[in-house]
Amino acid sequence: MTVPRYRDPAAPVPDRVRDLLGRMTLAEKVGQLNQRMYGWDAYERAGDGHRLTEAFRSEVAAFDGMGALYGLQRADAWSGVGFADGLDATDGARTAAAVQRYLVDRTRLGIPALLVEEMPHGHQALDGTVLPVNLAVGATWDPDLYADAVAGAAAELRARGAHIALVSALDLVRDPRWGRSEECFAEDPYLAARMTEALVEGAQRAGVAVVLKHFAGQGATIGGRNSAATELGVRELHEVHLAAARAGVAAGAAGVMAAYNEFDGLPCVANRYLLTDLLRAEWGFEGVVMADGTAVDRLVRLTGDPVAAGALALDAGCDLSLWDDSFTRLGEAVERGLVSEPALDTAVARVLTLKFRLGLFEEPLPPAGPKAVGLPDPAELGERIARASVTLLSHEGGVLPLSRAVRRIAVLGPNADSLAQQIGDYTAPQRPGAGVTVLEGVRAAVRPGTEVVHGRGCGLVG
């Protein structure tokens, strides 16, 4: 029996994409552009292990396939996943394998899914290594150290079967009120660009593709609000807020994530100037553009219609949705003439190209055996980053190191005795004893008999 050309690993990727596209129905094409499902809804506890849910099977059946699955391994307060029901490293790899087997065996064309995970500072999964947040990384001024740490963290992600890491890198701290400042490397575009290059290079060492977020200017929104407009002019956008994106694209990033904010009156996910004229025509970017979560659905406030919202984002240059319903209706958009099928095919081709280049058709299952050999230990490198990030601004009176003669020390602040706040957002639950708070560390460092008192000083909210 003749093997379809898209199944031939020796065939050029463009030929494989063209062959596969020619075999697909409109519904199957639409399915490849969707990443609607939360990954933690795709599995459930079953005895000592996990099984795929009816919700997952229904999602696959709707399009006879699945473009991407977000957050299969994610665990945190937002997802509601913890050690009682979530996936550790072993269960995570098994469940990822079950997802891919189902897609390969139970769909007409057998197209594997892109498994997409959060890796803003280490893989956000149970027992994943936590790295210092980006603000600490930027304070090291050491891209080589960061690249090594990223390589180790990405190896953990890849060992669990994931292919794509979503990583904060492109935002700059330009308003201290913005609640996502810890996801920024700095306020300086040059430093952010060098760290973004290191990030992409480190992940590539582990065979992981990177989607950089957020594109573009999200760190400069009005009032420090996450989804607000910006008042950026073109010159400031290019000189300040696009430097890291340019560097990441040049380094080989597989994708960028269109931000929530508006630029020049249009949300980034609907901004053709940003996503097509600049990113693709001027910079030559050939990867995928992913929407931020529900960003396409938010366009309904502009279009008044979810079908038109999906068409608007696709026409602007968005290839892959995230949690949106509007993109599931792109077939309707084609039938209503809101977008052409060739435009749809262009986006599908980008998604399929990434799958072929990552080797999903040849090796859809997680790699066998331990994580990649020869890559650095991310836990050890994370500690080095943390040490290198500390900057002593003033040292008067010989305060440090702590004198053995000190009898009483006050440790102040609402984060001083909170491991969860200390290690940052986008962090999975930690096992008991997995970390040391500032207060615990001071108490352990002083001589017996020294009094260490703690005052919260204020609340984090209210």
Side-chain angles (χ1 to χ4, degrees):
M1 188 171 91
T2 304
V3 176
R5 189 150 178 79
Y6 79 91
R7 290 286 184 191
D8 180 5
V13 168
D15 289 357
R16 299 178 76 181
V17 170
R18 195 177 305 111
D19 179 69
L20 182 52
L21 259 177
R23 299 171 185 270
M24 297 175 75
T25 66
L26 180 60
E28 287 168 335
K29 292 175 183 178
V30 172
Q32 289 301 304
L33 303 184
N34 275 278
Q35 187 178 203
R36 179 170 59 169
M37 188 172 209
Y38 294 123
W40 52 90
D41 289 334
Y43 67 88
E44 60 190 359
R45 175 69 72 178
D48 294 332
H50 298 82
R51 65 187 172 206
L52 299 178
T53 61
E54 183 58 37
F56 169 78
R57 290 189 285 271
S58 297
E59 186 71 11
V60 174
F63 302 98
D64 200 28
M66 178 178 284
L69 181 62
Y70 166 90
L72 184 69
Q73 317 282 340
R74 179 170 179 164
D76 62 345
W78 185 71
S79 64
V81 175
F83 285 102
D85 54 358
L87 304 173
D88 61 17
T90 301
D91 285 339
R94 289 173 181 160
T95 305
V99 166
Q100 300 291 29
R101 285 194 193 97
Y102 189 92
L103 289 166
V104 170
D105 296 342
R106 305 289 188 89
T107 61
R108 185 176 74 90
L109 295 170
I111 304 172
L114 294 166
L115 298 186
V116 180
E117 295 291 332
E118 297 282 4
M119 199 182 77
H121 57 113
H123 183 198
Q124 190 187 0
L126 298 176
D127 294 326
T129 301
V130 179
L131 300 176
V133 298
N134 282 4
L135 271 180
V137 169
T140 68
W141 291 83
D142 193 338
D144 292 338
L145 174 61
Y146 181 49
D148 288 343
V150 168
E156 292 185 348
L157 181 146
R158 186 68 194 97
R160 296 191 187 205
H163 319 97
I164 293 181
L166 304 183
V167 186
S168 304
L170 307 184
D171 304 317
L172 299 180
V173 185
R174 287 295 167 125
D175 188 331
R177 297 171 297 179
W178 190 47
R180 304 183 71 168
S181 295
E182 67 175 31
E183 297 180 44
C184 308
F185 291 119
E187 76 282 3
D188 178 73
Y190 179 82
L191 177 58
R194 302 291 78 75
M195 289 302 183
T196 300
E197 290 170 342
L199 160 65
V200 174
E201 186 273 322
Q204 287 173 336
R205 273 192 254 162
V208 171
V210 168
V211 170
L212 300 171
K213 56 183 189 178
H214 306 88
F215 189 77
Q218 188 164 283
T221 51
I222 297 171
R225 301 300 297 270
N226 193 45
S227 303
T230 65
E231 294 180 328
L232 297 171
V234 174
R235 176 178 174 179
E236 185 179 357
L237 177 75
H238 280 260
E239 291 186 356
V240 177
H241 294 276
L242 292 179
R246 281 196 304 269
V249 166
V256 298
M257 178 179 284
Y260 287 127
N261 60 279
E262 296 177 10
F263 172 70
D264 202 20
L266 269 180
C268 291
V269 75
N271 199 306
R272 187 173 178 83
Y273 166 72
L274 286 176
L275 304 185
T276 298
D277 299 345
L278 175 67
L279 185 62
R280 299 197 184 282
E282 189 173 329
W283 292 1
F285 179 66
E286 297 180 347
V288 298
V289 172
M290 183 187 298
D292 206 340
T294 69
V296 179
D297 283 352
R298 295 183 185 198
L299 298 179
V300 173
R301 65 192 178 193
L302 298 180
T303 65
D305 173 9
V307 179
L312 179 62
L314 185 80
D315 184 66
C318 181
D319 304 309
L320 189 62
S321 71
L322 182 59
W323 319 330
D324 294 289
D325 285 322
S326 296
F327 246 40
T328 67
R329 302 180 67 176
L330 284 173
E332 274 185 76
V334 171
E335 291 165 356
R336 285 170 49 181
L338 298 176
V339 70
S340 68
E341 189 161 0
L344 184 79
D345 287 352
T346 298
V348 177
R350 292 184 188 124
V351 173
L352 295 177
T353 296
L354 180 55
K355 291 184 177 187
F356 282 119
R357 287 179 175 166
L358 289 172
L360 266 65
F361 285 81
E362 286 67 58
E363 297 182 11
L365 304 186
K371 63 183 180 182
V373 177
L375 291 177
D377 175 12
E380 185 269 332
L381 289 167
E383 182 175 342
R384 285 176 55 190
I385 289 174
R387 291 180 182 276
S389 72
V390 175
T391 302
L392 185 61
L393 297 180
S394 177
H395 191 218
E396 298 175 0
V399 173
L400 296 177
L402 293 173
S403 169
R404 307 295 281 181
V406 171
R407 289 287 177 261
R408 191 164 189 261
I409 296 174
V411 181
L412 308 177
N415 294 331
D417 196 30
S418 170
L419 183 67
Q421 301 298 337
Q422 186 175 303
I423 59 180
D425 198 6
Y426 280 100
T427 303
Q430 302 297 296
R431 293 189 185 274
V436 178
T437 69
V438 173
L439 180 62
E440 291 168 343
V442 172
R443 283 177 172 158
V446 299
R447 64 181 296 174
T450 302
E451 181 183 6
V452 178
V453 297
H454 171 229
R456 284 181 55 82
C458 64
L460 288 172
V461 296

